[in-house]
Amino acid sequence: MRPKILCISFSDIRADARVLRQLEVLAEFGDVTTLSYGVKPDAASDHLEIDASLPSLPQTPVGVALLALRLHRRAELIAPAVQRAFQLNAGRTYDLVVANEARALPLAHRIANGAPVWGDMHEWAPEERAHVRSWKLLVKPFMTDVCARYLPKTQAVTVVNDSIAALYERAFGCATETVRNARPFVDLEPVPVDAATIRLVHSGAAVPGRNLEGMIEAAAGLGPQYSLDFYLVPARDGGKYRRYLEELAAGAAQVTFHDPVKPEELPAVLNRYDVGIFSLPPQTKNHELMLPNKFFDFVQARLAIVFSPSPETSRLIRESDLGAITEDHSPAALIRSIQGMTRDNIARYKDNAHRAARQLSSESDESTERSILRRLLSLNPSTASGSIPER
C-alpha cells in the first residue's frame, strides 16, 4: 500500500513552480493529497481546495488583536484558511505531511498527529514582507515565534539557498537542507541575437515590491534598439497591480505585457529572447539573499542574464560567465549594464548558459528531496517496507 502524503501550500499550486516540482517528486513515493487554493494539480491523487478569498494569516479583528498582544499560540490556528483546512481534513490520516512556508507549520503538525513533517520554508519566513509596516510590526514576531516553536520538532527543513539556510541554523538551531528553485533540464539551443533589436524579458509575479516599475523605467531609457516583454502571473488582487503597471508603461512603446504561461512551457517561450533581467532593491533579507525561480528559468531558456547584486545570484553568474551584475539597484545602473553588453557578449553569455544548463537544473535538488522522503517514510513502520522507491 502506497504511503498517504499531504502537501499543504497556501498558494495556487498550478501556478507555483516550486511546489509543482516538489509535488512531482512526492508522487513518486505515495498518493498525494494537495491542500491549497485553486483546483487540483495534475500530479495529485486527491485535492482539498481552500476558497481563494480566505487569508492564510490571522487577518481578522480577533487575529490582529492577538498578534498585537503577542498571543501567538492563540493566533496560530485561527486564520480563516487554516480553519477551513481543518474542516476539509476531518477524519483523514497521513503518513507524511509537507508544509510549504512557515505559516503552514502549526497546521501541518496538528494534522500530522505524530506522523513526520517536512517543512519547506522556501525563504526567510520572518522577513517575507518586512518592508510592509503592518507585517514588520505584527507578522514578523508571529513568524519568528512559529519558527522557534515548530522547526525544532520538524523532521526535515528545506530552504532555497545556503545563505538562507545559515539564517535558520543561527536563529533557530535547526539543521536544514538546500533545495534550490531550479527547474528540470530543458533541451533547448540558444537563439541567435536579433540584428535589429535586443530583446529583453522578465517573468515572475505581478505583485508590489518586485521593482517592476524600475525595470519599466530602465526600458524606457534604453531607446528603440531594445524591447522589454513581461510574462507576469497575476496576484490575488483581481489584476489591479498589473493594470497599474500597464498604465505606467503606456508611454513606452518598447514595453509589452503578455499573458502568463504554464511553468512547464516558460523556457520555450523565453528562449526566443536575448537577455533575462531582474533588479530588486534589498528591502528585506530575502531580497538581499535572493536566488529566484526566474534565474533558473533564464538559464534553461539559454538567455544572457542581467541581475542586480546579490551573493547567491552574483556567485553563479560569475562562476559560469552568464551575464552582467549591475553596480547597484537603480534603473540607471540597469541601463548601464544592458548597454555595456555587445551582441557578441550576449551571444557568448547565451552559449555559456547552454553549457551550464545541466549543472543548474533541478537534478541535484530532486535527489535531496528523494533522500528526505526515503528517510521520513522509513520512520513509519507501515510505510518502511516495500513501498519506498530506491532511486
Side-chain angles (χ1 to χ4, degrees):
M1 183 174 178
R2 282 165 60 80
K4 294 185 293 182
I5 302 172
L6 176 65
C7 176
I8 305 170
S9 180
F10 290 110
S11 66
D12 182 343
I13 294 177
R14 294 172 310 151
D16 191 326
R18 181 178 179 85
V19 184
L20 275 177
R21 291 190 297 270
Q22 178 193 95
L23 181 56
E24 293 287 342
V25 178
L26 292 175
E28 296 175 14
F29 286 77
D31 295 328
V32 185
T33 297
T34 44
L35 173 64
S36 72
Y37 302 120
V39 302
K40 176 181 171 293
D42 291 341
S45 301
D46 194 10
H47 181 63
L48 304 173
E49 182 178 350
I50 303 170
D51 190 294
S53 67
L54 300 177
S56 59
L57 291 172
Q59 295 168 229
T60 62
V62 171
V64 170
L66 292 173
L67 294 182
L69 294 170
R70 300 292 194 266
L71 298 175
H72 296 141
R73 295 191 183 210
R74 291 175 56 186
E76 65 185 20
L77 296 172
I78 68 168
V82 173
Q83 291 287 297
R84 180 57 179 153
F86 273 121
Q87 295 171 4
L88 293 170
N89 274 283
R92 292 171 175 256
T93 59
Y94 302 97
D95 300 299
L96 171 67
V97 177
V98 182
N100 280 282
E101 301 187 302
R103 67 187 65 195
L105 279 175
L107 171 66
H109 278 275
R110 183 67 63 89
I111 291 174
N113 194 29
V117 174
W118 168 9
D120 186 359
M121 296 296 94
H122 298 209
E123 298 182 324
W124 177 235
E127 294 197 28
E128 181 183 334
R129 293 183 57 78
H131 57 294
V132 177
R133 182 176 174 82
S134 59
W135 177 284
K136 186 174 183 179
L137 294 176
L138 297 175
V139 184
K140 180 178 178 178
F142 173 60
M143 287 293 183
T144 302
D145 184 69
V146 165
C147 289
R149 288 189 294 111
Y150 284 96
L151 287 178
K153 55 185 178 182
T154 299
Q155 284 78 7
V157 179
T158 50
V159 294
V160 298
N161 64 51
D162 294 344
S163 296
I164 288 175
L167 293 178
Y168 279 101
E169 290 166 7
R170 285 198 302 268
F172 305 115
C174 62
T176 66
E177 297 175 77
T178 295
V179 174
R180 303 169 303 176
N181 280 329
R183 64 182 306 130
F185 175 80
V186 182
D187 190 10
L188 293 170
E189 295 284 335
V191 172
V193 183
D194 188 84
T197 304
I198 293 177
R199 301 157 299 186
L200 312 175
V201 69
H202 174 87
S203 58
V207 296
R210 301 291 180 90
N211 195 35
L212 301 176
E213 297 90 342
M215 285 177 270
I216 291 170
E217 181 181 339
L222 281 166
Q225 65 271 40
Y226 297 87
S227 65
L228 173 60
D229 288 30
F230 284 103
Y231 291 86
L232 300 177
V233 176
R236 293 172 56 205
D237 62 357
K240 179 180 177 181
Y241 181 62
R242 173 172 166 147
R243 289 191 293 273
Y244 159 73
L245 293 173
E246 290 173 340
E247 292 170 3
L248 185 67
Q254 62 269 51
V255 178
T256 304
F257 290 85
H258 299 273
D259 291 336
V261 298
K262 294 179 180 179
E264 65 270 20
E265 298 173 359
L266 189 58
V269 171
L270 299 180
N271 179 245
R272 63 175 177 260
Y273 295 92
D274 299 313
V275 185
I277 69 168
F278 189 38
S279 179
L280 184 65
Q283 300 181 73
T284 72
K285 187 62 70 173
N286 288 317
H287 293 167
E288 178 187 338
L289 303 177
M290 67 175 179
L291 183 55
N293 285 320
K294 59 184 61 60
F295 179 89
F296 299 101
D297 293 338
F298 295 159
V299 170
Q300 293 303 324
R302 301 340 189 240
L303 302 183
I305 292 174
V306 177
F307 264 52
S308 56
S310 171
E312 295 281 341
T313 55
S314 297
R315 174 178 58 81
L316 293 175
I317 290 170
R318 292 190 181 105
E319 283 179 355
S320 297
D321 191 25
L322 298 174
I325 302 162
T326 65
E327 298 169 3
D328 56 48
H329 303 85
S330 66
L334 183 57
I335 290 172
R336 287 193 296 271
S337 290
I338 293 169
Q339 290 180 331
M341 298 168 63
T342 66
R343 282 176 168 77
D344 287 343
N345 293 151
I346 294 170
R348 186 180 85 248
Y349 295 143
K350 295 177 82 168
D351 287 340
N352 290 343
H354 185 54
R355 282 190 282 272
R358 180 73 69 178
Q359 176 189 351
L360 294 176
S361 75
S362 63
E363 289 180 2
S364 64
D365 304 286
E366 291 173 2
S367 177
T368 298
E369 290 179 317
R370 292 186 182 102
S371 294
I372 289 170
L373 286 164
R374 281 191 288 269
R375 184 175 79 245
L376 297 190
L377 290 172
S378 70
L379 298 176
N380 187 335
S382 67
T383 64
S385 176
S387 59
I388 304 175
E390 291 297 325
R391 74 185 182 96

